[in-house]
Amino acid sequence: MPLTKRFTLTRYLIEERRRFPGAGGDFNALILDVALACKAIARAVAFGELGGTPGQPAAKVGDVGGAVNVQGETQKPLDVISNQYFTGMNEWGGHLAGMVSEEMEGAYQIPKAYPRGKYLLAFDPLDGSSNIDVNVSVGSIFSILRAPQEVIDSGRDVVESDFLQLGLTQAAAGYALYGPTTMLVLSVGNGVAGFTLDPSLGEFMLTHPNLKVPADTQEFAINASNSRFWEPPVTRYVDECLAGKTGPRDKDFNMRWIASMVAEAHRILMRGGVFLYPRDSKDASKPGRLRLLYEANPIGFIIEQAGGRASTGREPMLGVQPTSLHQRIGLVFGSRHEVERIERYHAEPFKPLETTPLFTERSLFRV
Ligand code: AHG
Ligand code: MN
Ligand code: MN
């Protein structure tokens, strides 16, 4: 397609906005600021071992030994730099009332020098950061919420409860993927669009309009090293996938685990699949690994906008009432029929694979 015919992210946002007469430009300007932060992070990640991103401390991807964040995880310099890009590039525009980040314990207040706006931004500045030392894809995830009216009217500092909104109410959500190409995948509540960064222009170009997650799949993703901590419905589901053609599913499954949720979400958007990081018994203080406000909800919003499904296993993710900024939660998302099956297994009484007809004592498949 000739360059002149391609939609830039800016053009996409303007054309979307034309469908809503009376809409201000705030929202679009905010998304463009988020996109700029993502481009800056893409560049910092791409410098790799060379480090020395212009204007930034000389952090290299292999550097360790940063502070411990609120999650109890050691921050890598690129976690910190990515967080600085997000806050610094979004605080000045007058579109936000406050921000929340994986890397900051409390809500981030817009400095007094800048006007405050009507949106809230929650983000994971660098997802999959255990992968940065090994040059595997990482990403950023963001969620845009509307600030409560009273916050907008008063201009007061934001507090935790302002962010505790259902995922369903997100005004927009998206992620950037820093892989072989840098991509931005976005939903403003009207389907999902994917943009590829043209590095020579520094522009995100619309390359994947109207992304859809196929309803069926033969690919699943889970960290199997946690299997002894799983709950019975998850064990049943995975056992049935592993049994493949010889089990009740009657088809073989393929498995993937990248350990970057953004990359897994992207694969699922491209060709279907199901991702599970379920609630488990590994650590009683952590009901799940992933965080609701800036990981599960935005990815859930994108996946559902693409016709897939996102769930805790027990209830739709986007209907969960958040209780704290850094709340962790079990997450299952992807191809609709598989997620529905996993939900069914959670609702049904426990039924181990061995009791299904093909695996009974007298069965052909008895081992
Ligand atoms: P983060 O790097 O933001 O802390 O998130 C990493 C997450 C997610 O991207 C991935 O799916 C998961 O952690 C990997 O966890 P394991 O190391 O347990 O596989
Ligand atoms: Mn993450
Ligand atoms: Mn992170």
Side-chain angles (χ1 to χ4, degrees):
M1 186 190 289
L3 191 56
T4 48
K5 294 278 180 256
R6 279 213 182 276
F7 272 40
T8 60
L9 174 62
T10 310
R11 179 167 175 189
Y12 172 84
L13 291 170
I14 289 171
E15 303 255 356
E16 283 292 300
R17 190 178 134 218
R18 281 189 186 141
R19 298 183 307 113
F20 301 99
D26 265 29
F27 183 71
N28 288 2
L30 170 57
I31 303 256
L32 291 173
D33 287 344
V34 170
L36 180 61
C38 293
K39 285 190 272 193
I41 297 167
R43 187 183 61 178
V45 168
F47 268 80
E49 229 9 67
L50 298 170
T53 310
Q56 290 295 332
K60 303 195 300 302
V61 290
D63 287 352
V64 288
V68 172
N69 69 9
V70 62
Q71 325 284 334
E73 295 159 353
T74 303
Q75 292 174 318
K76 304 203 171 213
L78 275 172
D79 284 320
V80 176
I81 288 171
S82 303
N83 193 61
Q84 285 166 355
Y85 280 138
F86 256 88
T87 53
M89 287 173 172
N90 288 291
E91 67 184 3
W92 62 274
H95 318 303
L96 288 178
M99 302 184 225
V100 155
S101 163
E102 176 183 312
E103 305 302 341
M104 300 184 291
E105 183 160 7
Y108 180 86
Q109 306 298 342
I110 301 300
K112 293 275 180 271
Y114 305 121
R116 291 182 172 181
K118 57 185 178 203
Y119 294 104
L120 301 172
L121 180 64
F123 55 91
D124 174 355
L126 202 58
D127 176 65
S129 50
S130 71
N131 278 323
I132 53 186
D133 321 4
V134 291
N135 205 3
V136 166
S137 298
V138 291
S140 302
I141 311 172
F142 61 92
S143 162
I144 297 174
L145 298 164
R146 291 177 187 82
Q149 192 58 44
E150 169 263 326
V151 172
I152 302 170
D153 293 343
S154 65
R156 69 157 165 78
D157 280 2
V158 284
V159 294
E160 178 173 42
S161 58
D162 298 327
F163 292 86
L164 305 182
Q165 304 182 28
L166 301 189
L168 279 172
T169 66
Q170 290 170 99
Y175 64 80
L177 176 65
Y178 315 121
T181 58
T182 291
M183 287 194 69
L184 184 82
V185 172
L186 176 71
S187 177
V188 294
N190 178 36
V192 180
F195 303 82
T196 303
L197 183 65
D198 178 330
S200 58
L201 292 173
E203 285 281 350
F204 280 113
M205 311 300 272
L206 181 63
T207 45
H208 297 69
N210 202 18
L211 284 166
K212 291 281 171 223
V213 177
D216 291 296
T217 184
Q218 290 180 231
E219 200 160 68
F220 69 104
I222 191 164
N223 182 344
S225 70
N226 293 324
S227 60
R228 70 186 186 281
F229 305 111
W230 291 341
E231 293 179 333
V234 173
T235 304
R236 174 184 172 191
Y237 177 76
V238 173
D239 282 352
E240 289 182 1
C241 290
L242 295 176
K245 278 199 179 108
T246 64
R249 298 300 306 271
D250 210 18
K251 58 180 185 179
D252 287 337
F253 280 76
N254 196 7
M255 202 196 83
R256 289 284 182 273
W257 188 252
I258 306 172
S260 276
M261 184 180 53
V262 163
E264 320 258 13
H266 194 69
R267 184 189 62 247
I268 288 170
L269 271 168
M270 292 297 124
R271 66 177 191 211
V274 63
F275 171 99
L276 304 93
Y277 215 124
R279 190 175 88 178
D280 62 31
S281 61
K282 191 172 184 179
D283 177 347
S285 70
K286 291 181 183 165
R289 163 87 169 85
L290 299 167
R291 280 64 48 122
L292 177 58
L293 285 189
Y294 43 80
E295 291 179 321
N297 271 346
I299 294 295
F301 188 80
I302 296 265
I303 293 291
E304 298 233 335
Q305 283 287 324
R309 192 166 170 81
S311 170
T312 64
R314 292 173 171 77
E315 57 183 320
M317 185 59 66
L318 302 183
V320 172
Q321 174 59 55
T323 54
S324 65
L325 291 183
H326 300 287
Q327 176 180 355
R328 294 179 190 256
I329 196 153
L331 172 60
V332 178
F333 69 81
S335 292
R336 194 159 46 83
H337 292 158
E338 292 304 304
V339 178
E340 284 167 354
R341 175 182 287 271
I342 294 163
E343 288 176 314
R344 224 165 41 239
Y345 289 4
H346 279 83
E348 281 173 10
F350 176 48
K351 200 163 130 217
L353 184 58
E354 288 70 26
T355 65
T356 59
L358 285 175
F359 285 81
T360 50
E361 280 294 296
R362 288 190 304 275
S363 127
L364 202 58
F365 300 106
R366 192 178 153 217
V367 281

